[in-house]
Amino acid sequence: MMQHIDLSNLPEILKPLEQGIQSSLKSYLAIEAKPAAQLDLWQSKFGGLPYSPLDQPYPVDDEGSPLVLLAQFNFAELPTLENFPDQGILQFYIAADDDLYGADFDQPFKQDSFRVVYFEEVIRDESQLLTDFGFLPQIPDRLTPITGQYALHAVLKQAPVSLSDFSFSRWMLREPYSGDENDQFYEIYNEQFGSTGHKLGGYPFFTQADPREYDQDIQDYILLFQMDSDYSSDVDIMWGDVGVANFFIRPEDLKNRDFSKVLYNWDCS
């Protein structure tokens, strides 16, 4: 069931933006990660061992080294999200020995040191799946952003455009505030409609800048998946210095289940 936003009690400083807030609402899946000692190969997860059919090549980088699983989503286990698959498995892999976590900031579409893989049909017979992962590299501390394996819980929510999304000003047409009032506006908007956390779809969060802002060729890209830094007594996910990773896709590619041109970016403070 969708968790809807109640706009009837907007703070006074946000009331002039009610129409923009309402118009920009997007559905997304908010993801919570919890440590899990044992997960099936086909289950949704952060980290751990991937679903990998024996008749399909395992993802490797441009030098032939195996990539490691960052995240895996089995859509049959998740609430239905518009335009996303309702079945199949979507995976995100990154390089295990790269201090940039497989990102190429000059060529963010180049899937040499990261990979996005989609399986429309899911096999649950382990005899047809890779189960011996002894070939995977031993990962030095903090050369991947994630330590351990986590089960995922997803909740369908909605949120308006985020402060750090480059399109914010398109939706939120307003007279500029000045000084303390401007600071107050941003603080209150962020409190009401923050965009941090793990998610599928919706609007992104950045610690620095939206890479789409100054490149018109990618301004039609939307958020596919966001993995945030997440650190507590039982979760250890850290992108550099408390950063965040974003994967973007064109809407038509998402509808066509074409994940070959995904844009991968992460930043930190």
Side-chain angles (χ1 to χ4, degrees):
M1 181 178 294
M2 170 82 75
Q3 291 188 6
H4 292 277
I5 287 181
D6 181 7
L7 300 181
S8 62
N9 294 307
L10 278 178
E12 197 65 33
I13 199 170
L14 300 186
K15 286 184 177 179
L17 304 181
E18 184 172 355
Q19 182 176 351
I21 291 170
Q22 182 70 51
S23 299
S24 69
L25 286 175
K26 271 189 182 182
S27 301
Y28 71 100
L29 291 181
I31 308 293
E32 182 183 12
K34 289 293 183 182
Q38 187 68 35
L39 291 172
D40 291 328
L41 293 171
W42 49 80
Q43 282 186 261
S44 300
K45 62 185 73 172
F46 287 169
L49 299 176
Y51 170 88
S52 185
L54 289 172
D55 62 354
Q56 299 292 323
Y58 186 89
V60 297
D61 65 15
D62 57 335
E63 297 181 352
S65 299
L67 302 175
V68 295
L69 183 68
L70 178 69
Q72 173 173 292
F73 299 98
N74 184 334
F75 287 101
E77 302 173 345
L78 306 176
T80 300
L81 182 61
E82 185 178 8
N83 296 326
F84 278 67
D86 57 10
Q87 65 177 19
I89 287 177
L90 181 63
Q91 300 173 320
F92 299 81
Y93 291 85
I94 60 172
D97 57 354
D98 180 2
D99 57 6
L100 294 180
Y101 307 143
D104 182 336
F105 298 114
D106 294 321
Q107 302 181 80
F109 309 97
K110 192 176 182 182
Q111 294 194 29
D112 281 354
S113 294
F114 83 96
R115 193 71 45 78
V116 183
V117 180
Y118 177 63
F119 299 97
E120 185 172 3
E121 302 295 331
V122 179
I123 300 167
R124 292 176 178 263
D125 178 358
E126 286 199 4
S127 69
Q128 300 181 55
L129 302 177
L130 184 63
T131 56
D132 181 359
F133 293 92
F135 63 91
L136 289 179
Q138 295 297 311
I139 303 171
D141 287 346
R142 289 274 77 103
L143 272 187
T144 61
I146 186 168
T147 300
Q149 171 180 262
Y150 303 93
L152 306 181
H153 175 68
V155 177
L156 185 61
K157 296 184 177 183
Q158 60 178 186
V161 62
S162 60
L163 279 172
S164 53
D165 191 292
F166 81 97
S167 68
F168 179 82
S169 60
R170 296 181 187 173
W171 291 104
M172 304 301 170
L173 299 178
R174 62 178 179 85
E175 293 298 320
Y177 297 114
S178 61
D180 292 343
E181 192 176 20
N182 195 56
D183 293 341
Q184 183 186 23
F185 165 79
Y186 283 108
E187 180 179 349
I188 292 175
Y189 192 94
N190 195 50
E191 287 176 356
Q192 294 285 314
F193 307 119
S195 56
T196 58
H198 316 303
K199 64 178 72 175
L200 287 169
Y203 292 100
F205 164 73
F206 306 97
T207 63
Q208 294 189 28
D210 189 334
R212 301 169 297 171
E213 184 168 3
Y214 301 108
D215 187 343
Q216 291 188 347
D217 291 338
I218 60 175
Q219 289 186 351
D220 59 338
Y221 272 65
I222 59 173
L223 183 65
L224 173 62
F225 167 50
Q226 174 171 291
M227 181 186 278
D228 206 347
S229 289
D230 188 351
Y231 45 97
S232 65
S233 59
D234 58 359
V235 179
D236 184 8
I237 301 174
M238 183 65 66
W239 290 88
D241 185 11
V242 197
V244 61
N246 310 99
F247 295 83
F248 297 93
I249 190 170
R250 283 199 164 97
E252 61 267 31
D253 289 338
L254 178 58
K255 290 178 182 179
N256 293 329
R257 312 304 184 232
D258 178 3
F259 299 96
S260 63
K261 299 182 286 292
V262 169
L263 186 161
Y264 167 37
N265 178 80
W266 70 272
D267 61 20
C268 64
S269 54

